[in-house]
Amino acid sequence: MPLLEAMVVPTPIVSQERISRIWKDIPPRPVPPQWSNVNSSRRTYFKAIASPKKAHWSDFLSSTTPRSIWTAKRFVFGRPPQRFPDLPGASNPAEVAETLLDHFFAMKPPPPPLLRLTQYDDYTPHTSEEVSRALSKSSNTSAPGPDHIPYSAWKAVHRIKPSLLPSLLDPLLSHGFHPLSLKKALGILLDKPGKPSYDSPSSFRVIVLLRTLSKILERVVASRLSAQATVCSLIHPLQCGSLPVRSTADAALVLQHNVESLHRLRYKVSTLFLDVKGGFDNVESPSLLSLLRRKRVSPYLVPWVGSFLSDGTCRLTFQGSPRIFAPVSVGVPQGSPISPLLFVI
C-alpha cells in the first residue's frame, strides 16, 4: 500500500514594513456625510458628562471631612503598585517570608508554660451586655483575620441569640486559656512609599489581622483588666491613653494645669516629649506576668494573658507568598484591643 505523504505549503512571511507600505498605497475611502454629525454628537455627549463631573468633584472637595479626605487623596493619586520584596539571599517566596518573619517578629522570651488547666473560682461569667459593649466598639469595616468573619456577622448572631457568644467565651476565660485556633493571624505586607530600593525588610511594614472572635474576647478582658489597673496600682494615676473615658484631651488638660500652676509660682517650665519606637514588640511576657501576680490581679486573668501571648502564628501575604502559618514571637500583638493596655502596664 503506497504511503500518503502530506505536502505542507509554506506560508509567505510578510514583514511589518511591507504591510505598512501596502496600507499607505490603498486610496482613502470617502468619508460619509453622517460622520460629521456623529463626531459633533460625540463631542456634545462627553462635554455634557464632563461638566456635571467637575461640579460634583468640586462639591465633594468642599464638603470633605477628616475621614473622607483620604478618599479624595486616593481618587487623585490612585493606588500605588504593590512591590515585591527583593531581598538579598532569598531566592524563593518561602525564603522571603522567613526573612521577613525574622525581621518583624524577632524571638522574645516565652512566657512560663501552662502545666494544666484549672477552673478559677473567682471568675465572673460573661454577660450579654458585656459582649454587646465589646461589639459596639468594633467597626464593621475592620478587616477580619484568617477566619474572614466580619464583625457584622457576629453582631447579627448576638442580636438573634445573645447567649451564644458568652457560652463560647466563658470556658476560655474561666480556665485562663486562649486556644491556638484563635492565635492565627494574617500579616499584610505593605511597602513604604518613596523608598529608593525595596531590597530590605525595613522598606516594608506589616499590618496584622487577627480573628474577630478572638478580638471580641480580648476587648472584654481589656475592659475587666482596666478596671483593676487603677485599683491595683498597675498604672500611673495620670495615665490617659489606653483607658476608658480618658483621652488625649485629658492629657493636654493635665499638662496645661501643671504648666500654669508652676507659672504662678514664678517657675520656668520645660516639657519633654518622648516617642517610643517598637514598644509593643519589646514587652517581656515573664516580667508582665510577674507584675500582674505581685499586684494581685484576679487569678484567672494572669494565666489567660500568659496563654494569649504564647504560641502565636502568622501567615504573611504578598505576591507568591507561601500559604503556611509560621510560629512568631512578639511582645504583644499589633492590632489587639488589649495590647495597648498591656504595654502601658
Side-chain angles (χ1 to χ4, degrees):
M1 187 175 181
L3 296 177
L4 299 180
E5 297 182 358
M7 298 186 64
V8 179
V9 179
T11 303
I13 300 177
V14 183
S15 65
Q16 185 75 19
E17 292 78 6
R18 178 166 176 74
I19 295 176
S20 178
R21 287 196 299 269
I22 295 174
W23 175 257
K24 291 180 180 179
D25 293 339
I26 298 177
R29 295 182 179 180
V31 179
Q34 298 90 333
W35 275 104
S36 59
N37 297 333
V38 170
N39 292 332
S40 176
S41 301
R42 183 170 58 182
R43 286 193 296 269
T44 304
Y45 170 74
F46 284 112
K47 186 176 181 180
I49 291 179
S51 180
K53 284 178 64 176
K54 184 177 181 180
H56 176 72
W57 178 245
S58 300
D59 294 340
F60 176 74
L61 291 180
S62 62
S63 60
T64 51
T65 63
R67 296 179 65 90
S68 61
I69 190 65
W70 300 108
T71 304
K73 178 179 180 295
R74 188 173 68 250
F75 287 158
V76 174
F77 295 100
R79 294 185 180 275
Q82 186 177 9
R83 297 178 175 87
F84 182 82
D86 185 17
L87 307 181
S91 58
N92 55 62
E95 294 179 358
V96 171
E98 184 178 357
T99 303
L100 292 171
L101 289 171
D102 292 340
H103 174 79
F104 290 109
F105 306 103
M107 297 301 294
K108 300 291 188 301
L114 295 175
L115 299 180
R116 63 186 179 90
L117 294 180
T118 303
Q119 188 166 6
Y120 294 89
D121 298 333
D122 67 323
Y123 168 70
T124 304
H126 291 83
T127 63
S128 176
E129 292 75 15
E130 196 174 19
V131 176
S132 297
R133 286 195 298 269
L135 286 172
S136 66
K137 299 178 182 179
S138 305
S139 173
N140 292 340
T141 59
S142 179
D147 52 6
H148 302 294
I149 302 177
Y151 283 117
S152 57
W154 292 119
K155 291 179 181 180
V157 169
H158 188 63
R159 185 169 56 251
I160 296 172
K161 191 173 180 60
S163 61
L164 179 60
L165 281 176
S167 66
L168 291 175
L169 303 179
D170 274 335
L172 304 180
L173 207 52
S174 63
H175 288 82
F177 179 69
H178 200 67
L180 295 176
S181 59
L182 296 184
K183 300 179 188 179
K184 292 184 176 181
L186 289 180
I188 309 300
L189 190 68
L190 301 177
D191 55 89
K192 297 178 181 179
K195 293 291 182 178
S197 64
Y198 292 87
D199 56 356
S200 171
S202 59
S203 302
F204 299 84
R205 61 189 179 98
V206 173
I207 296 180
V208 179
L209 304 180
L210 307 174
R211 294 182 182 269
T212 49
L213 179 60
S214 175
K215 294 176 72 172
I216 295 172
L217 177 59
E218 294 159 29
R219 201 175 291 278
V220 171
V221 177
S223 177
R224 294 188 176 190
L225 185 58
S226 63
Q228 298 187 29
T230 306
V231 177
C232 300
S233 300
L234 285 170
I235 57 176
H236 193 275
L238 296 181
Q239 173 66 33
C240 296
S242 309
L243 292 176
V245 302
R246 297 189 188 183
S247 65
T248 308
D250 298 303
L253 290 174
V254 170
L255 176 62
Q256 180 183 5
H257 170 75
N258 292 337
V259 171
E260 292 179 351
S261 299
L262 293 172
H263 278 173
R264 293 191 190 98
L265 299 176
R266 305 290 184 178
Y267 284 104
K268 294 183 178 180
V269 184
S270 297
T271 304
L272 178 64
F273 294 95
L274 299 178
D275 183 14
V276 181
K277 182 179 180 180
F280 284 12
D281 298 337
N282 292 285
V283 174
E284 294 186 356
S285 300
S287 301
L288 175 62
L289 298 178
S290 176
L291 176 62
L292 295 178
R293 292 191 184 95
R294 289 201 314 270
K295 295 296 185 177
R296 300 186 182 277
V297 174
S298 295
Y300 74 91
L301 288 177
V302 179
W304 183 90
V305 171
S307 177
F308 169 68
L309 297 180
S310 63
D311 302 323
T313 58
C314 182
R315 176 167 68 86
L316 291 181
T317 58
F318 54 89
Q319 293 179 356
S321 60
R323 302 181 64 85
I324 56 174
F325 287 89
V328 295
S329 177
V330 295
V332 290
Q334 298 278 352
S336 169
I338 196 175
S339 291
L341 178 60
L342 295 179
F343 165 69
V344 168
I345 293 175

